[in-house]
Amino acid sequence: MTAKVTLSFSDETIEEARRFAKRDGMSLSAWIDQAAREKALREVFAAHAAAVGRARLDIEAAAIADAQEAALVDAALGSRSSEPSATSPRGPADREVGRGA
């Protein structure tokens, strides 16, 4: 669902938005909608990061472990990537075996 609203922008802002929308092959409305959505998500993620920081949780180590686990799963499932993941302990030869090639 969409809502029609009237907004005011500075001349400079609207010209930049038009240029970026054209570059991206989008309508001005679609580009502004995407930009607003991205800004809202950045605000949510920033608030979450601040809360995690205040709680002094070590999520960096958990994120690294998750990335390594994902790389192992990709390798086991035979990811079609020709390059090994930066966090994967396995190279392309192991992935070929996993694919049965």
Side-chain angles (χ1 to χ4, degrees), residues 10-81:
S10 71
D11 291 339
E12 181 181 326
T13 298
I14 201 66
E15 286 308 313
E16 287 178 3
R18 282 187 176 123
R19 187 175 64 249
F20 290 131
K22 184 177 181 180
R23 178 202 65 191
D24 293 346
M26 304 170 76
S27 70
L28 178 61
S29 293
W31 191 89
I32 289 175
D33 181 68
Q34 179 179 326
R37 186 175 312 116
E38 289 173 2
K39 172 67 172 168
L41 287 174
R42 281 193 302 273
E43 293 288 330
V44 168
F45 289 133
H48 179 262
V52 167
R54 286 190 304 273
R56 297 182 184 180
L57 299 176
D58 186 9
I59 63 170
E60 185 174 349
I64 291 169
D66 288 347
Q68 290 171 338
E69 184 176 345
L72 290 172
V73 170
D74 285 346
L77 294 177
S79 174
R80 295 187 183 269
S81 172

